[in-house]
Amino acid sequence: MEHDELECFLLLAEELHFGRTAERMRLSRARVSQLVQRLERRVGAPLFARTSRKVALTSLGRQLRADLEPHHRAIEAALERAAASARGIDTVLYVGFANPLTGEIAMRAAETLRAGRPRLAVEFCEAPLADPYGQLRKGELHVQISELPVQDEELSAGPALLAEERVLAIHAAHPLAARAAVSLEDLAEVTLLTVDGDVPASWLAHHVPTHTPSGRPIARGPGVTQLQEALMLIAGGRGALLAPAHTATYHARPGVAYVPFADAEPTGYGLVWRAGHTTEAVGAFVTAAREAAREVRARTAG
């Protein structure tokens, strides 16, 4: 099996979407299809069941993924350790972030560590909206700055680093877009986009509520897997989304209005890591991230 076939198979098995796999590999969808078909010819049977709406692993595909994935991770880790050693680095810490604000905290923390611990390298990866903790659970990330709450027996969460208000991202022509503020009860008048994927129920309940505080139902719109996909649908009048306030700064776009909530609980951010995997490097990053969060709080407050 050639390396590009292996990488394509494992990424498609994770994403179950040809477009997202092509984007991650920086290839065309046609090239991804060619690689999958070439591997299936090599194996002699289909590895994926494809329809116009869905991609799924066959039983043979699931077996091949289970057999290959641990070895692939071990090879990638070995290569990364060798490259790090060649650069005079002892440890590489893989850090996830949920959005631009948490990414800023992660970058500031890494800069602090670089100054005091030059043999510790920090690599970053954005946690996908459709699977916010998947990379952390699989050990691909050592620590992550995520939106709270986190309710998962496999994960440990530290105290909140900071919190910010939430806004309603809504089509600019919607009547609510003209208001100075909205309430959670106003959600009964909108269609909320939901998030498709491996999303914990507690996370989904916080970000995509099904009812207002008084019990009125909130209509469900299309499911999305990426923020840009959600903003495109909002601009087209297909739904609305609860979002942290910084989204209005980092993702301003025509057709989308951001209206603050008068009564929504703020979004908190904290450090999350796999239970039982608190290494010395993770501990150093936690300390640096707390200081970085204080700097970000001071800047936003000013």
Side-chain angles (χ1 to χ4, degrees), residues 168-301:
L168 181 67
I170 194 166
H171 182 46
H174 193 283
L176 291 178
R179 295 199 187 171
V182 293
S183 73
L184 291 172
E185 285 299 325
D186 291 325
L187 295 179
E189 302 175 24
V190 305
T191 297
L192 274 189
L193 301 176
T194 190
V195 179
D196 287 338
D198 187 8
V199 183
S202 59
W203 190 98
L204 200 62
H206 180 75
H207 296 284
V208 192
T210 58
H211 292 80
T212 69
S214 69
R216 299 161 69 196
I218 302 171
R220 275 287 190 274
V224 299
T225 58
Q226 301 178 46
L227 179 59
Q228 291 303 323
E229 182 182 358
L231 294 176
M232 179 187 70
L233 291 173
I234 293 167
R238 299 282 303 280
L241 187 74
L242 274 71
H246 78 268
T247 310
T249 300
Y250 286 94
H251 297 286
R253 61 181 295 164
V256 178
Y258 295 96
V259 187
F261 277 96
D263 57 354
E265 181 183 352
T267 293
Y269 300 103
L271 290 151
V272 187
W273 55 88
R274 283 192 297 161
H277 289 77
T278 310
T279 65
E280 193 270 340
V282 168
F285 183 83
V286 169
T287 300
R290 286 173 175 159
E291 177 58 35
R294 283 193 290 269
E295 294 173 0
V296 171
R297 284 200 304 270
R299 176 179 60 79
T300 55

Side-chain angles (χ1 to χ4, degrees), residues 116-135:
R117 301 169 61 98
R119 298 185 70 83
L120 172 62
V122 180
E123 300 288 343
F124 302 102
C125 181
E126 183 175 7
L129 182 66
D131 188 11
Y133 307 117
Q135 293 166 299

Side-chain angles (χ1 to χ4, degrees), residues 93-97 106 122-126 140-145 271 285:
L93 187 69
Y94 292 93
V95 176
F97 61 95
V122 180
E123 300 288 343
F124 302 102
C125 181
E126 183 175 7
E140 296 172 1
L141 298 174
H142 296 115
V143 63
Q144 186 169 305
I145 307 178
L271 290 151
F285 183 83

Side-chain angles (χ1 to χ4, degrees), residues 42 100 284:
R42 190 189 302 275

Side-chain angles (χ1 to χ4, degrees), residues 69-112:
E69 201 164 39
H71 302 289
H72 181 255
R73 287 203 300 266
I75 291 169
E76 292 293 320
L79 289 171
E80 288 165 359
R81 285 194 298 270
S85 296
R87 300 194 307 269
I89 293 171
D90 293 330
T91 305
V92 179
L93 187 69
Y94 292 93
V95 176
F97 61 95
N99 53 39
L101 184 64
T102 54
E104 180 181 347
I105 295 171
M107 286 291 292
R108 286 173 178 258
E111 289 169 3
T112 299

